[in-house]
Amino acid sequence: LMLTISDSCATTALFRHYGSEKIREAFLELGMEGTRFSREYWDDELERKGVNNYFVPEEMGSLLRQMYDGTLIDRESSWWLEYLLRRQQINHKLGGFLPMEISMAHKTGDEEDKAHDVGIVFTKSPFIVCYGFVGPDMYKYEDFIRRSARLLAEENGGLEPPVKEDERREAEAAAGAANLEAAEKARSAGGAAV
């Protein structure tokens, strides 16, 4: 839910389960020194006290690049994450002015005066974009995301989808997801991962 429909309730559940310290440790292991997940979403009391969540676009871009290269944790994990990010259903920002046939693996979100969208756009020459905004006039920034993503798509292979390469990556991502699900079922049943 957190990735496909940008459900903040799912994000909050993970935060409550792991806590900010464990999440911080995981972020550091992934090389994310500036990105912070310090409070649940919609926690007005902590936000008034100045406790906020932050992401560093360069760090998000690095994670996306590792995922694309198949080196984020390992190849199957990278494929699984790409598979999930390709299923994002909130596409009005990054994909707003792109043909629906152009595939994207991205994560978007909003919180009051904040907006972001980070991902890979699979044109003939795939590219990574990381947008983040805090302030008034969010609708203007979302329009900027749509317009700049379309310009970048036009400059990176055009607006025709790269069918064969995209189908191959989609199949690899689905296979990786299936393998991870099978391993998790085996672990849950008390068996060994295969």
Side-chain angles (χ1 to χ4, degrees), residues 15 20 36-54 111 114:
F15 183 85
S20 63
R36 301 276 193 277
F37 189 35
S38 304
R39 64 170 172 80
E40 297 175 11
Y41 285 104
W42 315 112
D43 188 333
D44 295 333
E45 183 179 330
L46 283 178
E47 189 172 13
R48 277 192 298 277
K49 292 179 181 177
V51 178
N52 286 299
N53 299 319
Y54 302 94
E111 186 184 14
K114 302 165 195 73

Side-chain angles (χ1 to χ4, degrees), residues 1-192:
L1 292 176
M2 178 175 62
L3 297 177
T4 57
I5 62 169
S6 198
D7 182 346
S8 296
C9 292
T11 308
T12 293
L14 286 173
F15 183 85
R16 288 178 180 172
H17 180 77
Y18 291 105
S20 63
E21 286 306 311
K22 288 249 188 239
I23 292 171
R24 180 79 185 125
E25 289 171 19
F27 282 5
L28 290 172
E29 282 182 39
L30 292 169
M32 298 190 309
E33 296 180 11
T35 297
R36 301 276 193 277
F37 189 35
S38 304
R39 64 170 172 80
E40 297 175 11
Y41 285 104
W42 315 112
D43 188 333
D44 295 333
E45 183 179 330
L46 283 178
E47 189 172 13
R48 277 192 298 277
K49 292 179 181 177
V51 178
N52 286 299
N53 299 319
Y54 302 94
F55 84 93
V56 177
E58 184 178 7
E59 292 175 356
M60 295 300 109
S62 176
L63 290 178
L64 289 166
R65 182 61 202 218
Q66 291 172 54
M67 181 189 76
Y68 181 82
D69 291 341
T71 60
L72 183 60
I73 302 171
D74 58 40
R75 191 158 187 81
E76 283 188 342
S77 297
S78 296
W79 286 346
W80 177 69
L81 184 56
E82 180 180 319
Y83 176 81
L84 291 176
L85 291 175
R86 282 175 176 262
R87 272 130 194 87
Q88 170 63 251
Q89 295 177 23
I90 312 297
N91 297 312
H92 70 283
K93 293 179 205 158
L94 187 55
F97 287 168
L98 297 176
M100 290 179 64
E101 298 79 24
I102 291 185
S103 184
M104 300 178 298
H106 71 115
K107 171 63 180 88
T108 189
D110 314 296
E111 186 184 14
E112 298 166 2
D113 62 343
K114 302 165 195 73
H116 73 269
D117 207 337
V118 300
I120 303 170
V121 179
F122 291 96
T123 53
K124 290 180 182 167
S125 179
F127 62 95
I128 294 171
V129 291
C130 300
Y131 297 99
F133 175 77
V134 177
D137 301 327
M138 192 170 9
Y139 70 96
K140 289 181 182 177
Y141 188 73
E142 290 182 356
D143 189 55
F144 167 76
I145 292 173
R146 289 187 281 275
R147 291 177 186 282
S148 61
R150 183 176 177 97
L151 288 171
L152 287 166
E154 290 171 353
E155 291 178 11
N156 284 279
L159 298 175
E160 294 295 320
V163 178
K164 291 197 186 308
E165 176 64 15
D166 197 50
E167 285 176 359
R168 182 190 63 76
R169 284 194 70 86
E170 178 75 15
E172 287 176 354
N179 289 342
L180 285 173
E181 286 176 14
E184 183 58 34
K185 285 180 184 175
R187 275 193 292 276
S188 296

